[in-house]
């Protein structure tokens, strides 16, 4: 590692010592950039890395709303506008009780490189609140979203910053957020937020996009290995929107997802989630707000493993692993089980689902192929960018058109990541390749625009 890279990494650690998740992603990304920084001594003079790790702007605000008992509640809201070199800031909002600045900064940093990888003109941002919609009434969620947007509206706009959903922010929340924006501003403003409902500027395929995109990316990996998805058994975690998209596309292509997980444990369905009834039941489970995957086991009579994650299954049961739930879902002990199982494909889907030591360990396994989330899950934000295009054109594209674009974007992300790694003599290293390809585009844009 070059002296410059080392110095920036150490300084970032010292400056953000109380932000562990943020430091985790900075360390992961910067470490894999070593050969690029070596090849570009001109970056040091203009403090490129120092500028890249520092968000352009952090907005933190109070959100006051009234609960159903007439009691006022106060939450904290965030929007981190990380890097706008490539286009308007773009990234989701996460509503969950554990949201803090470290989490939003980690997600915003990742988002910057992910958005660059899509090749579409979008910068990186993330936002959210420590408000948890689970267990709240519909009216409470609406009042919270209205209060949140009453502050956020002044910081966003179609040429400035275009938010979307993330965990805890689905179609319902996006609707309420957009409604309040429209009430305040009194104009469509090209939709201003993506993931909208179809009647008011939403894009076909956006709900499916993250999951579909992940499977399209997986397909490119399998093609590279002269392999196919036909008959493959896939273990995923989570059972939310992203998991649903994966399950649907995998079933359509002749594979089968055999696990789902929730905070309560995981289910194993040897027949696979391949029927319409099972796939639709995922939506029911999510909409129930119970947040229990055991409901699936009870309904379909399959085994449920309380308090466990689906990472202990052997290669007699699973061919591909796709962590699709949340950050730091796979620790070193799970990584060791996965490596020992002989399973070949480890395809990250959720943002930063693997701890750094676990990821390092998995990358060392010669029999395995590891794909990184910032590439694999980029289909979601890519279709968000397509929603922005449709909104600015005042058109709605057909599902087939959006899907075809999504497919070609995912292929491009895979191919450009593989090529970037090749260029630096790293072989088929999709993790380093995604970091390098994403970084290079952001770096080129920042270099071209001068120092500020
Ligand atoms: O992590 C992500 O890429 C998202 N939550 C989607 C962001 C977006 O703008 O669609």
């Amino acid at each position: 590692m070059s002296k410059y890279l080392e110095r920036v990494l150490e300084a970032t650690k010292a400056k953000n010592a109380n932000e562990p998740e943020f430091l985790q992603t900075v360390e992961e990304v910067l470490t894999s950039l070593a050969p690029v920084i070596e090849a570009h001594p001109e970056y040091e003079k203009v403090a490129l890395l120092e500028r890249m790790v520092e968000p352009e702007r952090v907005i933190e605000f109070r959100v006051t709303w009234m609960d159903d008992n007439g009691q006022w509640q106060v939450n904290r809201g965030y929007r981190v506008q990380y890097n706008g070199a490539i286009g308007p800031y773009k990234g989701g909002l996460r509503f969950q009780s554990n949201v803090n600045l470290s989490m939003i900064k980690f997600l915003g940093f990742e988002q910057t490189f992910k958005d660059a990888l899509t090749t579409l003109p979008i910068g990186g941002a993330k936002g959210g609140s420590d408000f948890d919609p689970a267990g709240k009434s519909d009216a409470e969620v609406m009042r919270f979203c209205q209060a949140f947007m009453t502050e956020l509206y002044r910081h966003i706009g179609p040429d400035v910053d275009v938010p979307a959903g993330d965990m805890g922010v689905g179609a319902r929340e996006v609707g309420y957020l957009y409604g309040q924006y429209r009430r305040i501003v009194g104009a469509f403003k090209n939709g201003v937020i993506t993931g909208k409902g179809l009647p008011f500027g939403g894009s076909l395929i956006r709900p499916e996009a993250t999951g579909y995109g992940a499977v399209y990316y997986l397909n490119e990996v399998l093609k590279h290995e002269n392999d196919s998805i036909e008959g493959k058994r896939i273990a995923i975690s989570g059972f939310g929107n992203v998991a649903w998209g994966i399950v649907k596309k995998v079933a359509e292509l002749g594979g089968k997802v055999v696990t789902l997980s929730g905070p309560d444990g995981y289910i194993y369905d040897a027949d696979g989630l391949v029927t319409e009834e099972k796939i639709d039941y995922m939506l029911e489970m999510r909409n129930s707000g119970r947040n229990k995957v055991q409901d699936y086991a009870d309904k379909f009579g399959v085994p449920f493993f309380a308090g466990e994650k689906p990472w202990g299954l052997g290669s007699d049961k699973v061919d591909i692993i796709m962590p699709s739930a949340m950050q730091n879902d796979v620790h070193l002990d799970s990584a060791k089980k996965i490596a020992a199982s002989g399973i070949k494909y480890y395809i990250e889907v959720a943002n930063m689902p693997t701890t750094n030591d676990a990821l390092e360990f998995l990358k060392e396994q010669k029999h395995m192929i590891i794909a990184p989330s910032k590439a694999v899950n980029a289909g979601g934000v890519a279709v968000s960018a397509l929603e922005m295009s449709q909104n600015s054109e005042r058109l709605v594209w057909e599902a087939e058109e959006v899907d075809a674009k999504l497919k070609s974007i995912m292929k491009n992300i895979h191919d450009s990541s593989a090529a970037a790694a090749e260029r630096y003599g790293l072989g088929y290293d999709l993790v380093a390749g995604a970091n390098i390809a994403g970084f290079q585009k952001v770096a080129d844009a920042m270099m071209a625009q001068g120092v500020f």
Side-chain angles (χ1 to χ4, degrees):
M1 196 187 289
S2 74
K3 285 253 166 336
Y4 173 46
L5 196 54
E6 221 165 290
R7 182 160 54 72
V8 174
L9 197 50
E10 287 317 307
T12 308
K13 281 184 191 164
K15 217 173 174 176
N16 305 280
N18 55 352
E19 296 179 356
E21 283 160 323
F22 170 60
L23 289 179
Q24 184 183 334
T25 179
V26 170
E27 184 151 29
E28 193 274 316
V29 172
L30 290 200
T31 306
S32 66
L33 295 178
V36 189
I37 304 306
E38 209 79 64
H40 289 277
E42 72 274 19
Y43 290 163
E44 182 170 4
K45 231 187 182 132
V46 295
L48 186 83
L49 286 176
E50 293 90 325
R51 288 188 286 139
M52 220 177 259
V53 296
E54 192 68 26
E56 287 182 15
R57 197 167 298 103
V58 172
I59 301 153
E60 197 175 301
F61 51 95
R62 185 180 68 206
V63 186
T64 313
W65 56 283
M66 188 181 275
D67 70 18
D68 286 345
N69 298 319
Q71 174 66 48
W72 288 100
Q73 299 287 343
V74 178
N75 285 92
R76 192 171 286 176
Y78 303 91
R79 187 69 176 167
V80 174
Q81 297 176 333
Y82 222 102
N83 193 307
I86 293 180
Y89 305 110
K90 184 85 197 84
L93 301 170
R94 179 175 292 193
F95 291 172
Q96 210 168 48
S97 50
N98 61 354
V99 163
N100 56 34
L101 185 58
S102 168
M103 190 189 291
I104 300 299
K105 280 174 71 178
F106 119 60
L107 290 163
F109 191 70
E110 284 284 285
Q111 195 80 39
T112 297
F113 303 109
K114 180 199 306 193
D115 291 5
L117 282 170
T118 66
T119 71
L120 302 168
I122 41 177
K126 206 83 189 193
S129 175
D130 58 358
F131 169 84
D132 204 333
K136 304 290 193 301
S137 74
D138 201 55
E140 287 174 326
V141 170
M142 182 171 76
R143 286 194 296 272
F144 174 82
C145 289
Q146 290 175 341
F148 185 89
M149 185 53 83
T150 300
E151 172 59 31
L152 186 68
Y153 90 95
R154 72 191 69 238
H155 305 292
I156 63 175
D159 295 318
V160 179
D161 184 352
V162 182
D166 192 83
M167 293 164 77
V169 180
R172 174 181 65 166
E173 288 75 16
V174 167
Y176 293 151
L177 290 163
Y178 175 69
Q180 181 69 357
Y181 182 87
R182 195 172 72 81
R183 174 154 76 166
I184 296 170
V185 174
F188 174 57
K189 293 283 181 190
N190 289 350
V192 91
I193 175 166
T194 61
K196 295 184 293 298
L198 286 178
F200 54 101
S203 174
L204 289 161
I205 306 291
R206 179 64 190 89
E208 293 88 349
T210 310
Y212 279 18
V215 178
Y216 294 151
Y217 185 102
L218 166 66
N219 249 339
E220 296 305 318
V221 173
L222 292 167
K223 239 190 277 169
H224 181 271
E225 298 301 297
N226 295 315
D227 206 343
S228 113
I229 200 162
E230 188 76 40
K232 289 281 186 302
R233 300 155 303 173
I234 304 180
I236 71 174
S237 57
F239 66 92
N241 168 263
V242 175
W244 168 75
I246 293 173
V247 165
K248 254 175 84 145
K249 186 52 77 175
V250 166
E252 186 190 315
L253 297 179
K256 55 182 186 185
V257 171
V258 293
T259 69
L260 298 175
S261 78
D264 52 334
Y266 82 92
I267 64 98
Y268 171 69
D269 183 346
D271 295 336
L273 280 95
V274 290
T275 63
E276 215 174 295
E277 189 193 6
K278 287 175 175 176
I279 298 170
D280 287 346
Y281 187 68
M282 287 182 74
L283 297 177
E284 238 177 86
M285 263 200 308
R286 179 152 48 98
N287 290 337
S288 78
R290 285 166 47 77
N291 209 13
K292 281 195 162 51
V293 80
Q294 186 175 4
D295 292 356
Y296 183 96
D298 293 345
K299 178 156 175 82
F300 295 107
V302 303
F304 168 70
F305 300 88
E308 285 185 51
K309 294 182 189 250
W311 314 136
L313 297 168
S315 56
D316 56 325
K317 292 194 172 69
V318 170
D319 306 293
I320 299 168
I321 290 188
M322 298 178 87
S324 315
M326 65 179 95
Q327 67 278 0
N328 292 330
D329 200 12
V330 178
H331 291 249
L332 186 57
D333 54 336
S334 298
K336 285 183 174 161
K337 276 190 221 159
I338 291 166
S341 72
I343 293 168
K344 177 174 178 183
Y345 300 103
Y346 181 83
I347 312 291
E348 291 188 339
V349 184
N351 291 310
M352 201 170 73
T354 321
T355 62
N356 282 0
D357 54 350
L359 186 62
E360 272 309 305
F361 178 81
L362 290 170
K363 282 187 71 177
E364 283 162 14
Q365 307 303 311
K366 293 283 170 270
H367 69 284
M368 291 186 73
I369 291 184
I370 317 296
S373 55
K374 67 169 70 64
V376 179
N377 75 28
V381 74
V383 172
S384 274
L386 300 180
E387 180 173 332
M388 291 165 71
S389 300
Q390 295 169 74
N391 291 166
S392 67
E393 289 181 350
R394 302 290 194 272
L395 287 174
V396 178
W397 301 347
E398 286 177 13
E400 291 70 26
E401 186 175 352
V402 178
D403 197 31
K405 284 198 163 72
L406 171 62
K407 205 177 285 182
S408 97
I409 289 167
M410 297 314 298
K411 176 175 165 40
N412 189 299
I413 292 173
H414 168 270
D415 293 354
S416 62
S417 302
E422 269 313 328
R423 203 156 51 239
Y424 287 96
L426 301 171
Y428 189 54
D429 183 341
L430 296 170
V431 178
N435 284 334
I436 293 170
F439 168 83
Q440 197 60 64
K441 189 172 175 203
V442 180
D444 290 350
M446 288 175 73
M447 292 300 281
Q449 292 173 30
V451 183
F452 59 93

